[in-house]
Amino acid sequence: MLQSTMLLAPPSGFHNDCIYIHDSLFICLSTISFEISFQVQKKNYRQEKKRAAKELFSALKDPSVVIMSNWLKIRGTLKSWTKLWCALKPGVLLIYKTPSSEHWVGTILLNACKLIERPSKKDGFCFKLYHPLDKSIWAMKGPKGETVGSITQPLPSNYLIFRAASESDGRCWMDALELALSCSSLYKLTAKTCKDGDLSSSSESSHILQLLQSTALNDQELLLVCGVVYLKSSYSLSGGASLWVVKTQSVAREIKGVVFLQPGEASQVETVSEENKGLIWTLLKQLRPGMDLSKVVLPTFILEPRSFLDKLSDYYYHANFLSQAVAEENPYCRMKQILRWYLSGFYKKPKGLKKPYNPILGETFRCCWLHPQTDSCTFYLAEQVSHHPPISAFFVSNRKDGFCISGSILAKSKFYGNSLSAILDGKAKLLLLGRDEEYVITMPYAHCKGILYGTMTLELGGKVTIECEKTKYFAELEFKLKPFLGSSCNVNQISGKIRMGEDLLATIDGHWDGEVLLHEKKTGHQEMLWKPTAEVRKQRLRRQVVQLDQQGPFESERLWQHVTSAITTKDQNKATQEKFVLEEAQRQEARERGDRPWRPHFFTQNPDTNEWQYKYADTKPWDPECCLIQFEKDGIIQTKERCRRQHNGFTYSQNWTSQQKVSCSCSTHGNTTKKL
């Protein structure tokens, strides 16, 4: 550095014009260096364009590249529905009478289409593809040169209305079609950069290329296209569907911590930071045909720092609603209170998109909630009873207030390309002890969209039911996903109804994270069924768990403590290492166990119904004359009773001259607890 400075400085006695000569030389060298750098950038740019075009064209030549294929019902001009096989490829939708692709019906050119969700009163999910100027959306020839399609009912020329079997399948098709529509312009790049001699020998691939070739892209469009990374792979879906994935540069930021958030979409949207985009790409490359997503190793930055067994306990912070339901004499009022309790389990949510830890086989979690008004406790115990498939069993009990809940959840996932659904397959059974009423309850599914492009958003969807066979009361709730062209007011919508037999008693509508109203059918009366106001949140029951140093080695908080600590301090590398240690220990234990079946500690499976049941369940009604206090010790929920003795053939309670009032200020008998 010192020598360079001396070269630019004029020696003693030289004219000052020499300075200008050196300065001009320096500027000239800088200009040459810039020109060389610019030429290198242009060369890299051209190579990148060729690479993108080559990868795209390679994908188009592969006949297995199908974004999605499955059965759909299509409405004809006579307003009747025909079930046809639809195969979606980048830029086109091929329609056949059978999956064998031999009986071609027609080909829709997606580059001329718009997509919109269509309301429907019937079961299933409807959407519409149409030309905005009412022009034809059909291609003139088939993939093998056919000029006449197979005979079917007449179909409209400028639009088609489709019906999927379910809302989740319909959302899948909406995501896939949106992806295919965005792919249409990529064929323009193919038309410009690929020579005729490079065309695939496959007549179908050539046909699709010829259909969609049009004017070349301008430079700005070329830059946009070259910014896309292509991953060609197939993903198993129900019905044999497959996916072709395009990963773009979209996406997200990470916000830590579980807080009580304001209602609406903003709290359910996340942007992935730049350093985490590569991790998402690594995650997507793990996917293989037929792979269960529960086996995929997830990056730690998307994890919520607690176990799934812990997350299931969010439903019981307002368990006092169940205590009130037991006290109601009218079965209709009991159903309303149970609905209030059910809705109270959803408004506590982490910011953005966070997934709890997948529990380790044999992992347990226990806690309790204090009921100051009734001087009782609600106890919760959960255990991971199976790893593949992942099944979590749980039991909740408050004998003094007269209710208990048992159930199991099988967590399943479906991958749709740009979205996925997490399905909680299972039922919970709420038993009102003194009334001998059992309510069977189902769960909604979580739908995450914008994984590959767009904004990552999490929603709840699906229909859930609460049914009591004894009273014939039945409640149905539908968690609605945001419509394709919906506004912010369409986020987190919920609707439902309460029936008694065939009689409709009330309807329900609102937003599950905000205000939910109930409308009486006969009287026209309207009341607030649920609204998580600040006052309601203050009335949350106080949860207690055993102190960390007194927990067993397989209790959730102690088991995951190092992973949780690393995530909390934003040390993703350490979190990944600690998570790997736990997962590897589980694999080693499975190898050592061999073919011997796993035996859970607290739950057993009924061989007749295959339902998981808590081994120590006590569902007898509370008897205040002999029952003193309910407590939990080492995972066993039990009741302390007065001692009894036999005398002359009769049973007497022991005479208690002085009875000390027992408080439910701790969640376990003989263990120190901490409050949450």
Side-chain angles (χ1 to χ4, degrees), residues 198-488:
D198 295 330
L199 288 176
S200 169
S201 58
S202 168
S203 60
E204 182 174 339
S205 299
S206 301
H207 166 71
I208 295 174
L209 285 174
Q210 292 168 4
L211 284 177
L212 296 171
Q213 283 175 353
S214 58
T215 57
L217 301 179
N218 57 39
D219 291 340
Q220 183 177 3
E221 290 173 320
L222 284 172
L223 287 171
L224 291 174
V225 171
C226 289
V228 182
V229 183
Y230 302 93
L231 170 66
K232 179 168 64 69
S233 183
S234 295
Y235 301 90
S236 175
L237 291 176
S238 58
S242 59
L243 291 162
W244 185 71
V245 182
V246 178
K247 178 185 181 296
T248 65
Q249 307 274 342
S250 62
V251 309
R253 61 188 177 89
E254 175 189 3
I255 299 180
K256 301 289 184 181
V258 177
V259 294
F260 298 104
L261 302 162
Q262 294 299 320
E265 187 177 20
S267 61
Q268 295 156 222
V269 173
E270 178 160 2
T271 304
V272 179
S273 58
E274 288 294 332
E275 60 270 22
N276 290 331
K277 289 180 183 178
L279 295 178
I280 289 184
W281 182 244
T282 302
L283 169 64
L284 294 174
K285 290 194 290 186
Q286 296 180 54
L287 301 176
R288 294 294 183 270
M291 178 177 286
D292 181 1
L293 291 189
S294 63
K295 300 178 182 179
V296 176
V297 179
L298 296 175
T300 55
F301 79 90
I302 68 171
L303 294 177
E304 182 182 0
R306 59 172 178 160
S307 173
F308 178 68
L309 301 181
D310 183 355
K311 190 174 184 65
L312 285 176
S313 71
D314 285 352
Y315 285 92
Y316 306 101
Y317 280 93
H318 292 279
N320 54 302
F321 289 146
L322 294 177
S323 303
Q324 297 169 17
V326 174
E328 292 284 356
E329 294 298 330
N330 188 310
Y332 174 62
C333 295
R334 288 199 292 274
M335 178 60 82
K336 288 197 298 184
Q337 286 290 2
I338 292 172
L339 279 170
R340 286 192 178 97
W341 161 75
Y342 186 81
L343 292 170
S344 71
F346 297 104
Y347 72 91
K348 183 189 179 188
K349 52 188 177 181
K351 171 68 177 178
L353 278 70
K354 299 297 176 186
K355 179 190 178 301
Y357 309 140
N358 290 331
I360 301 296
L361 184 63
E363 177 184 338
T364 60
F365 180 80
R366 52 180 172 150
C367 62
C368 81
W369 293 263
L370 309 179
H371 293 245
Q373 294 182 346
T374 58
D375 195 23
S376 65
C377 281
T378 294
F379 295 92
Y380 170 88
L381 178 78
E383 181 180 4
Q384 191 70 9
V385 296
S386 173
H387 185 59
H388 291 305
I391 300 177
S392 306
F394 57 90
F395 182 75
V396 180
S397 178
N398 187 331
R399 284 191 63 207
K400 186 174 183 180
D401 285 359
F403 66 87
C404 69
I405 302 174
S406 61
S408 60
I409 296 294
L410 167 61
K412 299 189 297 184
S413 299
K414 288 185 178 181
F415 185 68
Y416 298 139
N418 191 43
S419 63
L420 63 84
S421 292
I423 301 170
L424 302 182
D425 187 9
K427 296 179 179 179
K429 294 185 177 181
L430 166 64
L431 180 62
L432 304 187
L433 304 181
R435 302 185 181 278
D436 194 27
E437 294 177 1
E438 185 178 77
Y439 295 78
V440 181
I441 305 169
T442 59
M443 301 286 293
Y445 66 87
H447 184 77
C448 174
K449 61 183 180 181
I451 298 174
L452 305 176
Y453 64 91
T455 303
M456 295 176 69
T457 307
L458 180 66
E459 299 178 85
L460 295 180
K463 292 182 179 180
V464 302
T465 57
I466 304 176
E467 184 175 7
C468 179
E469 184 178 1
K470 182 178 180 179
T471 64
K472 306 302 180 184
Y473 274 80
F474 174 87
E476 181 182 82
L477 296 175
E478 182 180 3
F479 291 79
K480 299 180 179 181
L481 301 179
K482 181 181 177 182
F484 188 65
L485 298 178
S487 61
S488 59

